[in-house]
Amino acid sequence: MIDLRSDTVTKPTQQMRQAAFEAEVGDDVYEEDPTVKRLEATAAEMLGKEAALFVTSGTQGNQIAVLTHCKPGDEILLEANAHLFLYEGASMSALAGVQPRTILGNRGAMDPADVRAAIRPDDIHFPETGLICLENTHNKAGGAIVPLENMQQIYEIARENNIPVHLDGARLFNAAVASGISVRRFADQADTVQFCLSKGLGAPVGSVIAGSADFIRQARKWRKRLGGGLRQVGMIAAPGLIALTEMVDRLAEDHEQAKRLAEGLSQVNGIEIEGKVETNILLVNVGGLNQTSDEFLHHLKEQRVLAVPFGPETVRFVTNFDVSGEEIDEVIEKVHKLARNI
Ligand code: TLP
């Protein structure tokens, strides 16, 4: 199988497996795991934040951020297709008791004027705006890079109104590598940041949230409440450290592969590339083949290629380091053939 469903599907490298094997460990609930501490310090330093916390997943990181920033009855402003809104099982409502208020953006970027207009005035009838969430790169917008200036403008509005900003940076390193802007500069436009070690960076497990020391102290308690206080967790933090130190620059290869795939698929009659390809995610519309995304994916699977539906006619391909250039060419050829035979 050529697996382009997500960049989450990659298997840990030999070096990561070795690091897990050799990891120095301790009980992390007592904050005694030296490997976790090293990972957290490295991540905080890279993002330019005071402190960081290793968490089990991107979803857990985002939810801990919501729980720590907000109180029940608050409202969160976020983009209409944000992962936090679409794909986290309404956990912000189920766990934190907050309601989302969505703003439709352009390639994942909310118009700062819309954000300003959506902030609630002080009125007994209204919820309080407790948090603004950004996402970079933006998954549903096809790995779009939200421009730094857009983030700066929104952060300024947030600060004027005393509202914290959380960045879902599950793929922030992709944004940094593709734009040449450091993760730290993106992270500067938010109070807290979540990024994933287990996506393009290839670690088997885990995400990190970063913010002020005080925020992380409270977040640690929320992680414990959620059952995320782990013990000799250096075993899984060690591959995460390799992800941060060895795997960042190679994300450029995934971006190249996504462009190569887009170029190849754009030559197929009946297939349209949706939007531009900036990082490792490619959205294609298969409506011109008179196929729904599910039907198309069924045929594709018979050809031993996997991708996921992202709308009635939209299919998402995500390049990742387990898929080679030759395999990308193979996928292009298979889709050509498939389109001819449908
Ligand atoms: N995204 C997954 C699916 O849930 C869609 C994927 O395959 O892309 N923020 C963003 C922007 C994400 O894309 C994801 C995962 C998460 C948060 C959640 O991370 P995990 O899966 O570690 O909980």
Side-chain angles (χ1 to χ4, degrees), residues 5 11 78 104 156-157 159 186 204 222 245 255 261 293 302 315 326:
R5 285 174 300 171
K11 310 281 195 303
L78 75 180
L104 186 60
E156 205 167 305
I157 292 166
R159 275 188 301 193
F186 282 116
W222 272 113
T245 50
H255 304 163
L261 184 59
S293 44
E302 286 175 342
V315 169
E326 293 77 54

Side-chain angles (χ1 to χ4, degrees), residues 120-200:
R120 300 287 189 173
D122 184 13
D123 183 305
I124 195 170
H125 300 89
F126 296 154
E128 284 172 36
T129 307
L131 183 65
I132 298 170
C133 289
L134 306 175
E135 181 176 318
N136 207 359
T137 63
H138 196 289
N139 183 356
K140 193 74 178 168
I145 301 170
V146 174
L148 185 71
E149 309 74 59
N150 176 268
M151 293 179 64
Q152 280 166 337
Q153 286 165 8
I154 292 176
Y155 195 36
E156 205 167 305
I157 292 166
R159 275 188 301 193
E160 277 167 26
N161 289 277
N162 252 326
I163 299 167
V165 172
H166 173 68
L167 170 61
D168 176 356
R171 297 187 179 84
L172 188 62
F173 284 88
N174 293 84
V177 167
S179 64
I181 298 168
S182 68
V183 280
R184 186 187 273 247
R185 286 193 71 203
F186 282 116
D188 279 349
Q189 312 314 320
D191 298 287
T192 58
V193 181
Q194 178 277 124
F195 74 85
C196 292
L197 296 160
S198 63
K199 296 204 162 53

Side-chain angles (χ1 to χ4, degrees), residues 15 25 57 61 70 74 78 112 134 173 202-203 209 214 239 276:
Q15 197 186 359
V25 296
S57 67
C70 298
D74 279 357
L78 75 180
L134 306 175
F173 284 88
I209 47 179
D214 187 48
K276 59 179 174 189

